[in-house]
Amino acid sequence: HAWGLGESGCLGHGEDLSNQLLPKKVEALAGQRVVAVSAGGDHSLALTADGAVWSWGDGDDGRLGHGNREWQLQPKKIEAFAGQRVVA
């Protein structure tokens, strides 16, 4: 679930960039067990129980880890960590 300022896609709710006053489910992470989260001013990260790292929001300066500067409006797995188990 995510709530607050929705601009930049940092809540992970897809095309819905509106501010959320109440917690709203992040559908792209349904079925994943999220064990840790971190949020910046314009982006967010989640670590799932299987050791995968997901990022979304404003991709300026490559901050999302996808090898580009594109915004991600929904959580996207960071493929650079494929085959590695990340822990918090």
Side-chain angles (χ1 to χ4, degrees):
H1 289 75
W3 61 96
L5 185 65
E7 67 183 40
S8 305
C10 60
L11 296 180
H13 295 144
E15 297 293 325
D16 181 3
L17 301 181
S18 63
N19 296 341
Q20 299 295 320
L21 301 179
L22 297 170
K24 180 178 176 182
K25 187 175 186 176
V26 179
E27 295 293 340
L29 291 174
Q32 298 289 333
R33 190 167 75 100
V34 176
V35 296
V37 295
S38 181
D42 294 312
H43 67 293
S44 303
L45 297 154
L47 174 65
T48 53
D50 62 357
V53 181
W54 302 72
S55 66
W56 61 97
D58 182 343
D60 284 352
D61 304 317
R63 68 181 69 152
L64 298 181
H66 299 295
N68 58 41
R69 294 184 173 101
E70 296 175 13
W71 287 21
Q72 295 296 323
L73 301 181
Q74 295 181 326
K76 180 178 178 181
K77 191 183 294 188
I78 300 176
E79 295 300 330
F81 293 123
Q84 301 177 47
R85 182 169 172 81
V86 178
V87 296

